[in-house]
Amino acid sequence: MKNNLLLILVLCIFLLTGCKKYDTIEEYAHAMKEVRAKLNSYTMEIDVSTNNIDEHYIAYINGHNWKTEKVDDNKNFQDGILYDGKEVWTYSKSKTSAVQVPFRLMLAMQGINLKKTNDTVMKIINPIGVLVNWSFNEMTGYIDENAWDFGKKKKYNGYKCRMIENLDNDDIVCVSDKYGVAVYAKIKDDKTNTIMEYNVKNISNAPLTEKDLDIPDGIKKLSISGIFQDLMN
């Protein structure tokens, strides 16, 4: 009997079956941040439903850098947004140029040049950013422990996860201990009455190449300085 109990404990530790107990959301968020830092590279396929309108995305994440593309049913990209660690670029299948979005300049013009603010913006503009920055303290630096609480452990899209619920509204995320990211989320915007539902269909932590995190072939980058130069010409 003692040997069986010992075996169960060992399995809980090494197989990440959800046996570990966390006392607070903040403690769990910190632990999952360490998981993401260790894994570092992610390729994720996600279905996003907005008021019953379905879209498909493939996201590539390497540390703080990321690229998220909206794709068709055959996984061919239609539109994309990329953050290379310095600048944000948007591009489309129907365009020959990727356009730089000058968030740093826009923040500086408003007298906001804090690195933390810029980092927060980079997380918010990622269409699937909520799955990685699910704890919301990634955005504000603070978790309201009275607003969020652990729910039941569930399984979404084939992934075991811990349900985390907002007690003030219907927002929920279900986070994988193995991957440190949410594999399911439902977020409501009370102002627009929009409900967004995220379902992660596949996750890979295989190392990413430079091409994975770059603009697709055939599309050139057009910087702000390049746009002004074209206008002058």
Side-chain angles (χ1 to χ4, degrees), residues 4-15:
N4 289 338
L5 289 174
L6 180 60
L7 177 60
I8 292 173
L9 290 173
V10 170
L11 288 173
C12 287
I13 294 172
F14 289 100
L15 299 182

Side-chain angles (χ1 to χ4, degrees), residues 36 123-124 128-139:
R36 295 195 301 274
K123 294 169 182 174
I124 293 174
I128 59 88
V130 66
L131 299 176
V132 180
N133 309 300
W134 54 266
S135 68
F136 298 98
N137 75 325
E138 299 280 354
M139 310 293 188

Side-chain angles (χ1 to χ4, degrees), residues 5-232:
L5 289 174
L6 180 60
L7 177 60
I8 292 173
L9 290 173
V10 170
L11 288 173
C12 287
I13 294 172
F14 289 100
L15 299 182
L16 297 176
T17 57
C19 294
K20 181 169 176 57
K21 181 180 183 299
Y22 295 92
D23 294 326
T24 66
I25 301 294
E26 186 168 10
E27 180 187 1
Y28 181 58
H30 180 73
M32 293 303 100
K33 188 174 183 179
E34 291 182 345
V35 170
R36 295 195 301 274
K38 183 176 181 180
L39 294 174
N40 193 55
S41 296
Y42 291 81
T43 301
M44 302 168 62
E45 297 179 23
I46 308 110
D47 289 345
V48 180
S49 175
T50 306
N51 288 357
N52 296 320
I53 298 176
D54 296 328
E55 294 179 327
H56 312 289
Y57 290 87
I58 297 179
Y60 305 87
I61 302 167
N62 190 63
H64 296 293
N65 297 4
W66 51 264
K67 179 175 79 173
T68 299
E69 294 182 336
K70 184 175 9 176
V71 299
D72 61 20
D73 292 339
N74 295 318
K75 300 183 181 180
N76 299 311
F77 96 89
Q78 304 299 307
D79 302 285
I81 181 169
L82 177 154
Y83 175 56
D84 60 13
K86 295 181 179 180
E87 305 295 344
V88 176
W89 303 86
T90 62
Y91 54 95
S92 173
K93 182 180 180 180
S94 61
K95 306 290 184 181
T96 59
S97 298
V99 178
Q100 177 188 350
V101 184
F103 282 108
R104 292 178 186 273
L105 177 61
M106 293 163 62
L107 291 171
M109 290 177 65
Q110 297 181 50
I112 304 172
N113 56 10
L114 297 177
K115 182 179 183 300
K116 184 176 180 180
T117 301
N118 184 73
D119 290 344
T120 299
V121 173
M122 296 308 107
K123 294 169 182 174
I124 293 174
I125 63 175
N126 189 343
I128 59 88
V130 66
L131 299 176
V132 180
N133 309 300
W134 54 266
S135 68
F136 298 98
N137 75 325
E138 299 280 354
M139 310 293 188
T140 64
Y142 170 75
I143 294 179
D144 184 355
E145 294 286 352
N146 294 321
W148 293 86
D149 198 6
F150 291 109
K152 295 181 179 180
K153 294 175 184 177
K154 292 194 174 184
K155 193 172 186 179
Y156 276 101
N157 308 310
Y159 297 101
K160 295 179 180 179
C161 55
R162 298 178 189 246
M163 188 69 75
I164 299 176
E165 305 168 333
N166 191 316
L167 304 178
D168 295 332
N169 54 39
D170 296 326
D171 289 354
I172 55 174
V173 293
C174 203
V175 182
S176 164
D177 287 5
K178 179 179 179 180
Y179 295 103
V181 299
V183 294
Y184 174 81
K186 185 173 73 172
I187 308 297
K188 181 179 180 181
D189 186 335
D190 291 328
K191 292 182 180 180
T192 61
N193 202 32
T194 299
I195 297 177
M196 299 190 70
E197 197 167 11
Y198 303 77
N199 282 281
V200 175
K201 297 300 185 179
N202 188 46
I203 303 177
S204 169
N205 297 117
L208 297 173
T209 65
E210 290 185 8
K211 186 174 182 180
D212 291 328
L213 292 164
D214 202 358
I215 302 297
D217 293 339
I219 299 177
K220 65 178 182 178
K221 290 182 178 179
L222 186 60
S223 66
I224 295 301
S225 60
I227 293 174
F228 283 124
Q229 186 64 45
D230 288 347
L231 290 174
M232 292 178 65

